């Protein structure tokens, strides 16, 4: 486990994410369309935090802002205390976006490659992760030969291995069937317990958010505002059995009520 | 799949059958009607001539092959460069695309003699003609291929802190290779014909000049031999490109097979 932590060098006390008074709007036919309004939060190093909300609540915009792909109209966003965010967070979009000409292993090292990690070094680290992630034996497979669930795991490894202190996951399991989905949720939980990295997850699935997170933010409909902050008290390590626990069911119905109020 | 598998053999037989039937009818017609061989020689006579003239055919084929190959190489380099420029910015696209399209409307039958007047009977005007008739499909396919990258993919690379240069070489360029090969497959079929046409206008050696000489000396059989060699050459070059494609971008063949299957 110590080796894994080493592989992700920047997992450290600096891996914090903050947003203070963030506003963002787009232009639609010349009319300003507010997407996010006065969004503020602080995420500590090593925390797993989710944002849930109906479509159009600006969840993906929020992640794009956190990743540094866009800048807020107003307010301030920092990663590890700095507003310079491009290249400092590992972003995982909904699509796996694996390059079809690269083997699974070479796809997983893409982020390291961009950051200039020497090739052999990068491959060595990726091989270790393939072992841990239950992908051993598939290093040389092309994406076309992998199942949807496995492609998503490779995409996740690419994210884990991308140098950066924070992982930003945009509905990473949204495109998968429900069986593969819950399998991967549990897998992600195991991986996170080993990696102890900071994760920001965006999802419309309340159950997924509760299962995985330390804290859940419920967003309002457009323009997105933080409506509710829910600290998840479930003990760790968790397993899928937690889904049946009383506390889980209670939290879930509270969150669902909050989200439904928005639909 | 083996080269000699049953479905492939079947496909081959099906493709050859009509050609064979055509040749038999031709042979029979020439023998029964007793046509003058300087007007229409029989397939068997053409085959004999081909073997008899193998030496002269090979010398001229070599010349044409070099012209087609090198001309194609020039087109490839120029085509990729222009395609990349067109894909680089909307402004460059607007500047370069229209003149390129217009350049394709210039009749080669007018341009080729001019090129000979300007550059003489040497290899240069042949290379230029081949390059001019083959580079357009390459430019278009490269420009389209480079523009085909998923925007999400580019954003992913940007989030990693990648430079434009890194995005180009790691994602856009490799992703455009299947497009490039489609363009080259179209171009390569023009390459040999382009070279022959350029030779026809004026040359010392090559299948084009061989055809002209054969015509001038009423050697219809030799003319057909040259046509036969031309066809073999073109198909051979096309198959070489297909082979290269399978070798260089195996992931593409596999992913398309998957989609079809």
């Amino acid at each position: 486990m110590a080796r894994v932590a080493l592989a992700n060098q920047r997992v450290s006390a600096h891996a914090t994410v903050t947003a203070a008074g963030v506003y963002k709007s787009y232009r639609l036919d010349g009319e300003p369309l507010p997407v996010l309004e006065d969004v503020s939060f602080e995420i500590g190093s090593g925390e797993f935090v989710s944002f849930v909300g109906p479509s159009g609540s600006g969840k993906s915009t929020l992640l794009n802002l956190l990743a540094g792909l866009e800048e807020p109209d107003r307010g301030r966003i920092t990663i590890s205390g700095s507003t310079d965010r491009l290249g400092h967070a590992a972003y995982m979009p909904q699509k796996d976006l694996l390059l079809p000409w690269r083997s699974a292993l070479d796809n997983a090292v893409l982020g390291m490659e961009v950051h200039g990690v020497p090739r052999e070094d990068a491959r060595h680290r990726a091989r270790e992760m393939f072992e841990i992630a239950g992908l051993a034996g598939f290093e040389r497979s092309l994406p076309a030969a992998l199942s949807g669930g496995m492609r998503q795991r490779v995409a996740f490894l690419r994210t884990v291995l991308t140098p950066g202190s924070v992982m930003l996951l945009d509905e990473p399991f949204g495109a998968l069937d429900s069986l593969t989905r819950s399998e991967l949720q549990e897998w992600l939980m195991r991986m996170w317990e080993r990696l102890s990295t900071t994760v920001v997850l965006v999802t419309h699935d309340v159950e997924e958010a509760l299962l995985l997170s330390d804290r859940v933010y419920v967003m309002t409909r457009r323009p997105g505002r933080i409506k509710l902050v829910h600290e998840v008290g479930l003990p760790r390590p968790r397993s899928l059995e937690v889904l049946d626990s009383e506390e889980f069911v209670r939290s879930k119905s509270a969150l669902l009520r909050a989200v439904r109020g928005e639909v | 799949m083996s080269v000699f598998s049953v479905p492939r053999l079947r496909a081959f037989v099906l493709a050859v059958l009509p050609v064979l039937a055509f040749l038999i009818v031709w042979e029979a017609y020439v023998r029964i009607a007793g046509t003058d061989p300087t007007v229409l020689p029989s397939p068997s006579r053409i085959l004999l001539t081909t073997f008899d003239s193998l030496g002269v055919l090979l010398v001229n084929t070599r010349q044409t092959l070099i012209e087609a190959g090198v001309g194609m190489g020039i087109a490839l380099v120029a085509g990729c460069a222009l395609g990349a420029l067109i894909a680089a910015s909307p402004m460059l696209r607007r500047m370069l695309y229209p003149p390129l399209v217009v350049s394709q409307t210039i009749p080669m039958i007018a341009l080729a003699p001019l090129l000979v007047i300007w550059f003489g009977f040497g290899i240069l005007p042949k290379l230029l003609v081949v390059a001019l008739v083959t580079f357009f499909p390459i430019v278009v396919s490269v420009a389209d291929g480079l523009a085909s990258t998923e925007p999400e993919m580019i954003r992913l690379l940007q989030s990693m802190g990648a430079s434009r240069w890194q995005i180009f070489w790691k994602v856009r360029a490799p992703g455009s290779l299947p497009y490039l090969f489609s363009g080259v497959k179209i171009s390569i079929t023009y390459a040999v014909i382009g070279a022959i046409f350029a030779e026809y206008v004026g040359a010392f050696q090559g299948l084009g000049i061989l055809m002209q000489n054969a015509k001038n000396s009423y050697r219809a059989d030799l003319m057909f031999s040259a046509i036969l060699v031309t066809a073999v050459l073109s198909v051979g070059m096309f198959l070489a490109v297909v082979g290269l494609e399978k070798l260089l971008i195996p992931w593409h063949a596999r992913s398309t097979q998957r989609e079809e299957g």
Side-chain angles (χ1 to χ4, degrees):
Chain A
M1 232 182 276
R3 292 176 81 178
V4 178
L6 267 181
N8 209 351
Q9 288 165 333
R10 293 201 223 172
V11 174
S12 65
H14 306 298
T16 55
V17 183
T18 69
V22 167
Y23 285 78
K24 181 75 185 171
S25 63
Y26 294 115
R27 292 207 155 264
L28 190 70
D29 301 328
E31 292 288 301
L33 178 75
V35 181
L36 290 173
E37 239 175 53
D38 196 20
V39 174
S40 302
F41 53 80
E42 273 181 38
I43 301 168
S45 175
E47 277 190 308
F48 195 126
V49 168
S50 293
F51 287 84
V52 292
S55 358
S57 55
K59 303 187 297 276
S60 291
T61 304
L62 183 62
L63 271 204
N64 285 337
L65 286 165
L66 293 182
L69 291 167
E70 290 175 47
E71 287 300 326
D73 300 338
R74 262 202 286 162
R76 187 180 144 90
I77 298 173
T78 67
I79 284 183
S80 309
S82 162
T83 52
D84 179 21
R85 306 185 300 286
L86 273 181
H88 293 280
Y91 173 62
M92 180 175 175
Q94 183 168 347
K95 284 197 210 166
D96 57 59
L97 295 178
L98 299 180
L99 298 168
W101 53 88
R102 285 186 174 224
S103 67
L105 191 77
D106 286 343
N107 264 295
V109 302
L110 184 65
M112 287 193 276
E113 214 178 285
V114 168
H115 279 260
V117 177
R119 202 181 185 90
E120 274 321 301
D121 243 22
R123 287 193 166 171
H124 181 71
R125 285 189 212 172
R127 261 188 218 107
E128 278 178 13
M129 289 303 296
F130 267 62
E131 204 70 51
I132 295 165
L135 283 166
F138 292 97
E139 289 88 347
R140 299 179 65 180
S141 304
L142 288 175
L146 299 175
S147 70
M150 291 179 76
R151 292 169 61 107
Q152 211 60 22
R153 284 185 206 207
V154 175
F156 182 76
L157 285 194
R158 179 185 60 204
T159 317
V160 171
L161 288 164
T162 298
S165 45
V166 177
M167 287 204 281
L168 308 171
L169 313 180
D170 190 358
E171 306 219 23
F173 311 126
L176 300 171
D177 61 274
S178 63
L179 217 66
T180 315
R181 194 182 164 98
S182 60
E183 188 197 324
L184 279 192
Q185 285 167 351
E186 193 164 24
W187 178 83
L188 174 59
M189 218 155 34
R190 294 288 90 80
M191 294 294 291
W192 178 75
E193 279 158 12
R194 299 185 82 148
L195 300 166
S196 58
T197 166
T198 311
V199 177
V200 180
L201 170 77
V202 149
T203 178
H204 58 255
D205 184 343
V206 167
E207 210 165 83
E208 180 173 282
L210 268 175
L211 177 67
L212 297 169
S213 311
D214 297 319
R215 186 161 62 254
V216 179
Y217 292 94
V218 178
M219 306 281 291
T220 63
R221 276 185 76 177
R222 189 162 26 221
R225 254 174 279 132
I226 292 173
K227 180 183 186 180
L228 181 77
V229 185
H230 178 85
E231 298 286 340
V232 184
L234 299 164
R236 289 194 188 269
R238 297 175 194 160
S239 68
L240 289 179
E241 273 128 57
V242 85
L243 294 175
D244 303 322
S245 74
E246 215 179 294
E247 171 156 15
F248 189 92
V249 175
R250 216 178 322 115
S251 304
K252 187 179 157 188
S253 62
L255 287 182
L256 275 177
R257 231 174 300 128
V259 174
R260 281 203 191 114
E262 292 305 321
V263 183
Chain B
M1 203 187 279
S2 147
V3 185
F4 300 107
S5 65
V6 175
R8 279 202 177 197
L9 197 69
R10 205 178 115 86
F12 181 73
V13 169
L14 282 175
V16 163
L17 225 52
V19 180
L20 211 63
F22 176 70
L23 289 175
I24 289 169
V25 171
W26 179 356
E27 182 81 34
Y29 172 78
V30 171
R31 282 178 188 236
I32 292 164
T35 338
D36 179 356
T38 61
V39 176
L40 183 67
S42 69
S44 58
R45 194 189 179 99
I46 294 166
L47 215 58
L48 274 176
T49 306
T50 307
F51 284 117
D52 287 345
S53 326
L54 217 51
V56 68
L57 280 169
L58 279 181
V59 169
N60 290 293
T61 303
R62 190 174 155 274
Q63 179 68 24
T64 305
L65 182 64
I66 289 170
E67 289 162 8
V70 177
M72 192 64 207
I74 295 169
L76 208 58
V77 173
C80 286
L82 268 170
L85 281 177
I86 286 173
S89 87
M91 195 183 81
L92 281 171
R93 188 185 187 88
R94 261 174 252 134
M95 278 174 68
L96 295 174
Y97 219 101
L100 270 176
V101 175
V102 173
S103 80
Q104 293 307 297
T105 64
I106 299 171
M108 210 33 82
I109 202 157
L111 191 60
L114 280 174
L115 288 174
V116 171
I117 292 170
W118 296 336
F119 301 113
F121 280 71
I123 196 168
L124 185 61
K126 282 83 178 175
L127 298 183
L128 288 176
V129 169
V130 173
L132 282 171
V133 296
T134 57
F135 93 113
F136 189 66
I138 296 175
V139 174
V140 174
S141 59
V142 168
D144 285 355
L146 289 174
S148 73
T149 318
E150 281 180 280
E152 291 107 313
M153 194 69 227
I154 292 172
R155 290 169 76 80
L156 174 66
L157 267 280
Q158 284 171 339
S159 81
M160 292 171 174
S163 63
R164 262 188 88 138
W165 196 246
Q166 281 178 316
I167 293 172
F168 183 85
W169 286 111
K170 290 187 195 304
V171 178
R172 298 182 72 192
S176 73
L177 279 179
Y179 291 79
L180 172 64
F181 270 100
S182 301
V184 171
K185 276 192 256 180
I186 296 171
S187 287
I188 201 90
T189 57
Y190 298 155
V192 176
I193 294 175
I196 288 174
F197 180 73
E199 288 162 1
Y200 209 85
V201 174
F204 300 115
Q205 219 173 37
L207 287 171
I209 209 72
L210 180 74
M211 285 176 183
Q212 201 177 50
N213 290 340
K215 184 202 76 179
N216 290 342
S217 52
Y218 300 101
R219 288 288 308 278
D221 53 343
L222 191 59
M223 180 71 122
F224 275 107
S225 291
I227 292 172
L228 184 67
V229 171
T230 305
V232 170
L233 197 60
S234 288
V235 172
M237 287 180 82
F238 183 82
L239 289 179
V241 173
V242 172
L244 207 61
E245 185 183 23
K246 282 194 176 149
L247 201 73
L248 287 181
I249 50 171
W251 50 272
H252 181 246
R254 254 175 263 172
S255 62
T256 41
Q257 261 171 26
R258 234 176 114 79
E259 276 157 32
E260 281 162 16

